Amino acid sequence: MTITLSEAEKIISVAKEKSIALDTKMNIAIVDAGANLVAFARMDGAWLGSLDISIKKAKTARYFDMNTGAIGELSQPGGSLFNIEHSNNGLITFPGGVPIKNTAGEIIGAIGVSGSSVENDHAVAEAGAAAI
């Protein structure tokens, strides 16, 4: 199973609504089960530097099937995943990347969001991931 373009577009729509509710401007990336980019949106005025970060957050969440914030906790000095962010051509290990599951609970892709505080990034990603 993998995410469809229609599902990805719905997720982006919900994520944009959450971003507007938080008064933020986000870059939102959706990847499929193979971590390939399916859909992307850069809200008007969103930081250019966050474009790449949002894509890497989505890929990181899919590569390891967990929220990027959880990976960040494990990758601190002395942690079991210390320095993992240097693998896979660069990972992002702070909040804003969330796996996306279908109704059967299978991971079909991931969302990555960047453009505000990590708390806002995560809230927008969670809202998007819950859209399907």
Side-chain angles (χ1 to χ4, degrees):
M1 295 294 303
T2 194
I3 197 163
T4 65
L5 177 58
S6 176
E7 290 168 327
E9 289 171 337
K10 179 179 180 183
I11 292 164
I12 285 177
S13 178
V14 170
K16 284 173 30 182
E17 288 174 16
K18 180 67 172 180
S19 180
I20 291 166
L22 293 172
D23 194 28
T24 63
K25 300 170 184 167
M26 299 288 195
N27 291 283
I28 305 162
I30 309 296
V31 298
D32 64 15
N36 302 297
L37 187 65
V38 174
F40 178 84
R42 178 177 172 261
M43 295 174 69
D44 294 340
W47 294 330
L48 291 173
S50 290
L51 189 152
D52 182 60
I53 294 169
S54 66
I55 294 169
K56 285 183 178 175
K57 283 182 181 183
K59 288 182 175 191
T60 301
R62 177 57 189 117
Y63 286 159
F64 299 99
D65 294 338
M66 66 175 83
N67 292 352
T68 54
I71 297 168
E73 291 175 15
L74 297 170
S75 66
Q76 297 303 306
S80 60
L81 298 179
F82 181 62
N83 276 332
I84 195 169
E85 66 274 7
H86 301 291
S87 70
N88 295 286
N89 293 315
L91 302 174
I92 300 294
T93 60
F94 47 86
V98 175
I100 299 169
K101 297 178 181 180
N102 64 14
T103 55
E106 301 163 319
I107 295 176
I108 59 171
I111 181 172
V113 177
S114 183
S116 184
S117 67
V118 293
E119 294 82 10
N120 284 343
D121 290 358
H122 181 73
V124 171
E126 281 282 316
I132 59 168

